[in-house]
Amino acid sequence: MRTRIAVLVSGGGTNLQALIDAAARGELPHGELALVVSNNAEAFALERAKRAGIETALCLRAKGEPRRDFEARLLEILREKRIDMLILAGFMAILSADFVANFPERIINVHPSLIPSFCGEGFYGLRVHQAALDYGVKVTGATVHYVNEIPDGGRIIAQKAVEILPGDTPEVLQRRVMEQAEWILLPKAAEEVARELDFARQKPV
Ligand code: GAR
């Protein structure tokens, strides 16, 4: 049985699209994109999932709602769909240590910088690229890592460097990092982890 994957999204979903395209090319043989969960009803990622025939679910967090209530609902959705592995693909919420403990070494995230630079709480989306430009670094990139209780602190699976060019804006740089790093690294890492989990399930106890 292939590893059942849920992709957690909040926005445009270009990384989700990279996963969908990789799967369509046969590059995710040990994983099945079984579910896409969004914490934003307007996320275009939901549209991408529907077009690809992937089941979707909404898990919204009401203003002021305790994180543990939101996470309890999320966990219920994932359990109901018998999800083995999570991919955070532009998911703009930090998961608690308690939640993460349900999926040890079974959650991966893509982050748009070379961790440990420009990462951790408050560093997400365009803010990451703005910070890299403000600092004046000449090279940035993307990282795929396991998710643990420390924001952007889990073991690194893959990284790729991307050049910063004169005149870059956060938007231009974001696009280059996606094209040259994120969309390549994430599907490869997803297959690697899905394969490991698949083998682990088959191992006799
Ligand atoms: C991507 O660049 C992703 O790495 C980043 O948000 C963007 C989502 O784009 N994630 C983070 O910053 C998480 N800390 P997408 O919705 O088009 O995949």
Side-chain angles (χ1 to χ4, degrees), residues 9-17 45 48 88-93 109-113 118-120 122-129 142-143 145 152 174 177-178 182-183 186:
V9 297
S10 302
T14 64
N15 279 289
L16 168 66
Q17 191 66 52
R48 295 181 190 271
L88 311 188
F91 185 60
M92 301 302 176
N109 177 49
V110 60
H111 183 78
S113 76
F118 313 116
C119 65
F123 286 97
Y124 56 85
L126 284 171
R127 288 177 184 221
V128 178
H129 302 293
T143 303
H145 62 93
D152 296 326
Q174 178 182 55
V177 169
M178 284 173 159
E182 295 185 49
W183 300 341
L186 186 61

Side-chain angles (χ1 to χ4, degrees), residues 94-195:
I94 291 179
L95 296 168
S96 72
D98 282 351
F99 180 89
V100 169
N102 291 291
F103 298 93
E105 304 249 296
R106 285 159 183 262
I107 311 178
I108 66 171
N109 177 49
V110 60
H111 183 78
S113 76
L114 293 174
I115 290 176
S117 289
F118 313 116
C119 65
E121 231 165 318
F123 286 97
Y124 56 85
L126 284 171
R127 288 177 184 221
V128 178
H129 302 293
Q130 183 69 62
L133 292 173
D134 288 349
Y135 199 96
V137 291
K138 302 298 175 202
V139 173
T140 185
T143 303
V144 178
H145 62 93
Y146 285 105
V147 173
N148 67 5
E149 65 288 352
I150 303 158
D152 296 326
R155 185 154 62 86
I156 290 172
I157 301 168
Q159 286 188 307
K160 191 164 186 283
V162 174
E163 234 188 318
I164 292 182
L165 300 177
D168 271 353
T169 61
E171 289 79 8
V172 167
L173 183 56
Q174 178 182 55
R175 180 77 191 181
R176 189 179 312 120
V177 169
M178 284 173 159
E179 280 177 358
Q180 295 186 9
E182 295 185 49
W183 300 341
I184 300 164
L185 291 186
L186 186 61
K188 275 193 186 158
E191 167 56 15
E192 219 173 277
V193 175
R195 185 167 167 270

